[in-house]
Amino acid sequence: MVTRSMPVYVGLDAGGTKTRLRAEDEKGAVLAEAVAGPANLASTPEGVWKASLAELSVQCPKADYVAGCFAGLMTREDEGRASVALSKLFGEAKVAALPDYGAAVASAPAGTSVVVTAGTGSVVANMVEGRIHKSSGGGPLLGDAGSGYDIGRWGLRKLLLGVQAPDAGEETWAKIEEVFGSRDPAHVVATIYKMPAPAASIARITPRIVADAEAGYPYATAAVSGSLAWLAGDAAAHLEQTLPTAREWNVGLTGGVWSAGSFPKHSFDEAMQIYAARALGDPAYYSSHVLDLDPVNGAVALARKLAGSA
């Protein structure tokens, strides 16, 4: 009699700086963990992200189910390219390629209504009846409200585009000079427009704008609260559309914006309580928590869902 071995579930968390793999068996025992280079489908050259996946695949036991969660996966074409690459590397395994926010949603604690990710970009996502719903995002040209980029944009607009620059912390101007090579508004604006990918550079200013907000500088309090209020509007609309009968909202927060200081969460919560009072009847039915998520855990959970076992 041939004894069938337990299936192997593989999760991949593929980002712009590194890609992580974890393989687990049916009981949750870790069979393999590995790290390779970047695999952001939007910004990493195709040969590089495929090489990153290949490096990981050879360090992994034979897989039965593989879920790859990719930064930069935005279109059906992206999904197809990533799925084909995974199929070639993992043989007969059942594979799925998903956006990176899927891993955050899948790794959130039970009872989380929605996960609001605010890093360089932003996205609002949850899972309802096994299906992931996403809103907000849109990238720096169309959206990313409440992101590190967006807060930086709001702050720089107030610092650079007026007749006279408002009061700000000296360390903030020093950071602007470090990132853009000058404190002169015209020079900074010109430098931003010459950058091939300015969003990440603008986001580098955000921790200083948050610090200025917490120090009470009016330009910064307006920038942070305005940006986060917009994200709160996106999150509230998402909840009303995906969980229309919910009687409470338990929002999970993840990403660098929430760790930059207390003011972003305060601004977001203040706006969300207004929306909760309208939608739920009482702001007390709203709560939020900064989550300490490990996205590769979420990717493994999604691999388990491929087998219908989660």
Side-chain angles (χ1 to χ4, degrees):
M1 179 177 179
V2 177
T3 301
R4 187 181 183 277
S5 60
M6 286 190 289
V8 174
Y9 305 94
V10 174
L12 292 157
D13 172 32
T17 57
K18 64 182 178 181
T19 304
R20 298 171 60 206
L21 173 146
R22 180 174 297 157
E24 295 183 1
D25 66 15
E26 185 72 24
K27 296 181 179 180
V30 176
L31 306 177
E33 289 187 293
V35 179
N40 182 315
L41 299 185
S43 61
T44 306
E46 185 164 342
V48 175
W49 67 256
K50 286 184 174 179
S52 297
L53 299 183
E55 180 180 342
L56 293 173
S57 68
V58 299
Q59 302 178 65
C60 181
K62 186 178 184 299
D64 296 281
Y65 302 96
V66 179
C69 296
F70 292 86
L73 193 158
M74 295 180 282
T75 66
R76 290 288 187 185
E77 181 182 5
D78 294 336
E79 180 184 348
R81 289 189 298 135
S83 295
V84 168
L86 291 174
S87 293
K88 288 181 177 179
L89 292 170
F90 291 95
E92 298 177 359
K94 184 176 182 179
V95 305
L98 307 103
D100 55 351
Y101 56 79
V105 170
S107 59
T112 302
S113 305
V114 71
V115 175
V116 178
T117 302
T120 300
S122 66
V123 68
V124 178
N126 61 358
M127 186 180 294
V128 181
E129 296 180 350
R131 179 185 173 193
I132 295 175
H133 299 268
K134 172 258 183 185
S135 63
S136 194
L141 293 181
L142 294 178
D144 282 350
S147 66
Y149 159 73
D150 193 48
I151 294 170
R153 176 175 58 179
W154 277 68
L156 287 174
R157 186 162 55 218
K158 291 179 176 297
L159 288 169
L160 302 176
L161 302 184
V163 174
Q164 182 175 341
D167 289 339
E170 167 59 26
E171 292 182 14
T172 300
W173 284 110
K175 189 66 177 180
I176 290 171
E177 185 172 16
E178 174 191 328
V179 174
F180 302 110
S182 176
R183 301 185 183 199
D184 175 70
H187 180 96
V188 173
V189 172
T191 298
I192 289 171
Y193 277 95
K194 292 175 184 177
M195 289 178 160
S201 294
I202 291 173
R204 291 176 60 192
I205 308 300
T206 290
R208 287 305 320 154
I209 294 172
V210 171
D212 279 359
E214 296 184 341
Y217 287 98
Y219 94 90
T221 59
V224 177
S225 61
S227 180
L228 269 299
W230 195 287
L231 179 58
D234 288 351
H238 184 103
L239 285 162
E240 290 187 71
Q241 292 168 15
T242 62
L243 297 172
T245 63
R247 298 308 309 147
E248 62 181 44
W249 291 346
N250 180 13
V251 178
L253 307 174
T254 185
V257 164
W258 311 114
S259 61
S262 61
F263 200 84
K265 184 176 184 299
H266 169 78
S267 299
F268 181 81
D269 286 343
E270 192 171 56
M272 284 296 291
Q273 286 165 356
I274 295 172
Y275 289 112
R278 182 193 69 189
L280 306 176
D282 190 331
Y285 294 129
Y286 164 78
S287 62
S288 70
H289 308 277
V290 178
L291 304 176
D292 183 16
L293 300 181
D294 187 352
V296 77
N297 285 340
V300 174
L302 292 170
R304 292 180 182 276
K305 286 184 179 294
L306 289 175
S309 60

